[in-house]
C-alpha cells in the first residue's frame, strides 16, 4: 500500500516510505523519460538496480536491514547512457528483519486474489510444518511447470514474471520458476528470497533461498530428505 503518510517527491518521482518499517517502499515515476532505472543502496552497500515504469506505483524491498538507504533515479539519454535525475535518502528501522521477504514486490508480484496464492494454500493445507509446505510447493512447481526454451531464447531486458500466467500456462524460464515458488512461499508466511545472478559457467540465472525457523536462512540447499540437505533449484 501507498497510504501517503510519509512521501518524498519532486518532478521526477514519488516515493512513499510510509511502510518502510514493514520492509518495502512504493515508487512511482512521474517524469517524461521512456526508459528509467532506479538503484537502491542500503547500509551494507549492496546496490540493487530496477526498471521504473511511468505513472504507476511499484513495490521495492528494503533487503539491506536497518540504516540509511540511498535511492537514485536515472533517466535514459541515448544508447546505454543514463543521467542522474534525483537522489533521495531514507532512514529505515525494520519491525522485523524478515519482513522484506514476506511481501510482494516488483519481481514477485501477487495479491490475495491471485490463483497462485490459492494454489499455495491448497498445497499447504495438509502439511504438518513449514518444511513440509516448502517440499509440497517445490514438488508442485517442478512437476507442473516445464522449461520454455523459446521464451528463454527471446526474452528481453526488463522482463517481469506474471505468476498467474505461469501457473495457467505451465511453462516458464528460471526467473518464472523462482518468482512463482517465492510467491507461493511468501503467501504461506514463509520468508523466501529471490536471487538473481550468475550461476556456474557464467550463465545468468534466478534461484531462491528460504528461511525456516528451525534452520535459519538456507541458501540454495533447501531440500531435506530426512538425513541431509540437498540442492533445490526449481
Amino acid at each position: 500500500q501507498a497510504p501517503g503518510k510519509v512521501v518524498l517527491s519532486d518532478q521526477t518521482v514519488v516515493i512513499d516510505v510510509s511502510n518502510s518499517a514493514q520492509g518495502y517502499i512504493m515508487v512511482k515515476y512521474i517524469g517524461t523519460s521512456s526508459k528509467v532505472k532506479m538503484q537502491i543502496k542500503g547500509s551494507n552497500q549492496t546496490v540493487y538496480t530496477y526498471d521504473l515504469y511511468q505513472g504507476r506505483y511499484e513495490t521495492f524491498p528494503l533487503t539491506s536491514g536497518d540504516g540509511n538507504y540511498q535511492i537514485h533515479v536515472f533517466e535514459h539519454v541515448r544508447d546505454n547512457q543514463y543521467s542522474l535525475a534525483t537522489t533521495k535518502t531514507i532512514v529505515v528501522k525494520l519491525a522485523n528483519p524478515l519482513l522484506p521477504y514476506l511481501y510482494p514486490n516488483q519481481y514477485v508480484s501477487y495479491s490475495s486474489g491471485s490463483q497462485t496464492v490459492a494454489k499455495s494454500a491448497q498445497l499447504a493445507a495438509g502439511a504438518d510444518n513449514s518444511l513440509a509446505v516448502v517440499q509440497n510447493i517445490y514438488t508442485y512447481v517442478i512437476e507442473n511447470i516445464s522449461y520454455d526454451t523459446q521464451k528463454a531464447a527471446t526474452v528481453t531486458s526488463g522482463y517481469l514474471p506474471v505468476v498467474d500466467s505461469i501457473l495457467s500456462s505451465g511453462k516458464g524460464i528460471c526467473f518464472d520458476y523462482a518468482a512463482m515458488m517465492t510467491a507461493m512461499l511468501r503467501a504461506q508466511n514463509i520468508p523466501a528470497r529471490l536471487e538473481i545472478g550468475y550461476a556456474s559457467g557464467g550463465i545468468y540465472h534466478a534461484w531462491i533461498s528460504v528461511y525456516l525457523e528451525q534452520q535459519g536462512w538456507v541458501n540454495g540447499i533447501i531440500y531435506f530428505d530426512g538425513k541431509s540437505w540437498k540442492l533445490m533449484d526449481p
Side-chain angles (χ1 to χ4, degrees), residues 22-75:
Q22 296 299 304
Y24 70 90
I25 58 174
M26 302 287 288
V27 182
K28 179 168 63 175
Y29 176 70
I30 56 174
T32 58
S33 179
S34 59
K35 293 182 180 179
V36 186
K37 300 284 186 181
M38 181 181 70
Q39 290 185 336
I40 299 177
K41 182 173 70 172
S43 57
N44 63 2
Q45 301 303 303
T46 300
V47 177
Y48 297 94
T49 303
Y50 304 93
D51 290 313
L52 282 182
Y53 301 95
Q54 193 172 38
R56 70 183 194 226
Y57 269 117
E58 297 178 277
T59 313
F60 299 95
L62 301 169
T63 55
S64 297
D66 296 342
N68 291 342
Y69 282 74
Q70 288 188 325
I71 304 165
H72 304 289
V73 176
F74 300 88
E75 295 176 322

